[in-house]
Amino acid sequence: MKVQFGFSRIELAHGDITQQHVDAIVNAANADLAGGGGVDGAIHRAAGPSVMEETRARYPLGCPPGDAVVTSAGLLPARYLFHAVGPIWRGGQQREAELLRSCVRRCLELAAKHDCQSLALPAISTGAYRFPIDLAAENLLDEIRKFVDGAPRSLIVRVVLFDAGSYGAFARVLESFVDR
Ligand code: APR
């Protein structure tokens, strides 16, 4: 599914984010940038050890929730990796939505700063961090739409969903944007 907003486009794809040929791939990292399972594990396995070495050297203090940092992408078919730290879901009253939006916005700002024309991101926080998928879709897609709509240059933002249920949740929200 693809929807145009201004000069830019939001796309939804079903699959594995490590296979995406884009300028920047977003990782769903933890605050220690220590690696882990899920998409983080898949990305580091596919990228090779140089990315973790670079991450440790450049960001020894990690990265707080709501923020993102950049490294090279190692063996991945991308120029950059953005390591975004989403919130752990704790019931919804701990600024979870705000922190999810903020780490997505930071990735979009990094994409602009590094002259990226395309960016792929996963459904940050919806796995091990347990953010409800419908609410994540609403916040993540709305933050992307706000950023690209009216932006002076074009960016393809592809949200890569690993399973059919997540794809469906994101597709419902993106469809609803077309009629708003
Ligand atoms: N491509 C795309 N999406 C994927 C992939 C993949 N290869 N593997 C998993 N996913 C999806 C999951 O299905 C989920 O919807 O990414 C989403 C985010 O799940 P997690 O990877 O568990 O990320 P998150 O919920 O943000 O938790 C982060 O988990 O792996 C650790 O180090 C990481 O501690 C951090 C925490």
Side-chain angles (χ1 to χ4, degrees):
M1 181 177 179
K2 300 178 181 183
V3 180
Q4 192 80 21
F5 293 97
F7 296 115
S8 298
R9 196 162 76 214
I10 301 179
E11 301 182 353
L12 302 184
H14 186 192
D16 180 351
I17 200 163
T18 66
Q19 308 292 317
Q20 303 296 317
H21 292 249
V22 284
D23 288 329
I25 290 176
V26 175
N27 182 19
N30 54 61
D32 293 328
L33 302 177
V39 74
D40 199 1
I43 282 179
H44 279 288
R45 273 195 302 279
S50 69
V51 168
M52 188 51 88
E53 283 162 24
E54 180 184 344
T55 307
R56 286 208 185 99
R58 289 178 67 178
Y59 309 106
L61 302 178
C63 173
D67 204 352
V69 296
V70 56
T71 65
S72 55
L75 302 172
L76 289 167
R79 287 160 55 209
Y80 301 103
L81 249 185
F82 299 156
H83 304 263
V85 182
I88 299 171
W89 180 259
R90 294 192 168 94
Q93 303 301 314
Q94 308 288 322
R95 297 170 53 230
E96 292 95 332
E98 183 190 325
L99 291 168
L100 181 62
R101 283 174 177 266
S102 150
C103 76
V104 169
R105 193 166 58 247
R106 284 293 298 136
C107 290
L108 295 164
E109 288 167 358
L110 285 172
K113 180 176 171 192
H114 292 281
D115 284 324
C116 296
Q117 291 174 355
S118 55
L119 174 75
L121 69 157
I124 300 165
S125 285
T126 65
Y129 284 180
R130 300 184 316 274
F131 204 110
I133 192 76
D134 293 333
L135 206 53
E138 177 72 34
N139 282 288
L140 195 141
L141 289 172
D142 187 55
E143 198 60 36
I144 297 170
R145 184 194 53 76
K146 272 190 352 203
F147 188 92
V148 300
D149 211 2
R153 50 199 228 160
S154 86
L155 180 67
I156 293 171
V157 185
R158 185 178 305 150
V159 187
V160 182
L161 290 323
F162 206 43
D163 58 87
S166 303
Y167 186 95
F170 274 71
R172 277 191 294 281
V173 172
L174 190 55
E175 265 159 27
S176 77
F177 285 2
V178 177
D179 309 324
R180 276 183 202 178

